Amino acid sequence: MLNLKPTYTVNGKLCQLSLDELKASGITAMILDLDNTLMVPGSAALQPEIEAWLIEAQKHFKLIVLTNNTKKHYTDKAAQKLAQYQISVIASAAKPFTKKAKQALAELNCSVETVCLVGDRPLTDIWGGLRLGCQTALVEPLLGKDEILLFQILRKLERLSLAPSHR
């Protein structure tokens, strides 16, 4: 059976991911998913609580965004927004494949053992992080119940394969 168990399971949005716990685990960098993790899909905007978390996170961690999104107009707009925090965006990542994740790792200039890949999808973000060899954190999607029904069903199916987190 495919192992999709994240290192950390967050019962809430990205802003509820404990930075102190990550630091205590030796994490020095994070690869962040874009859509439904950092920003509402298509918005290229940060919610205030996510923005506050991001500002605090960048004080302690190297950060980069890795997204499967292929819409250049949107990913460029998101990259422009994140540039004010000195965070670059790598688009068209094709997670769970690791080619672009390895590019992100090289840009972070960190060893894989000190990196946590954070996202809202077990089959793309968590599996991709596990294939890369880093720690992973699964957060709840920003849209939650506002997401279209098909995606809600797919998320439930993905999460059926998850065992309770050990952290």
Side-chain angles (χ1 to χ4, degrees), residues 58 127 138 141:
Q58 80 178 132
W127 192 17
L138 181 66

Side-chain angles (χ1 to χ4, degrees), residues 40-132:
V40 171
S43 72
L46 295 167
Q47 295 176 344
E49 64 273 17
I50 299 290
E51 185 172 25
W53 181 91
L54 192 62
I55 291 167
E56 187 61 28
Q58 80 178 132
K59 292 177 185 175
H60 308 281
F61 304 93
K62 295 179 182 181
L63 304 172
I64 194 165
V65 171
L66 184 68
T67 179
N68 282 353
N69 199 307
T70 59
K71 295 179 181 124
K72 185 167 175 27
H73 174 73
Y74 166 65
T75 58
D76 285 350
K77 192 173 175 183
Q80 184 178 16
K81 172 68 176 174
L82 293 168
Q84 66 184 322
Y85 305 99
Q86 292 77 48
I87 299 170
S88 61
V89 174
I90 299 173
S92 304
K95 294 174 284 183
F97 298 107
T98 60
K99 181 178 180 181
K100 295 240 178 146
K102 288 177 182 173
Q103 177 187 335
L105 196 60
E107 285 188 35
L108 290 170
N109 193 26
C110 294
S111 66
V112 72
E113 299 82 18
T114 65
V115 175
C116 185
L117 196 150
V118 183
D120 66 308
R121 299 285 311 270
L123 280 175
T124 56
D125 305 314
I126 302 308
W127 192 17
L130 292 170
R131 292 185 72 211
L132 186 62

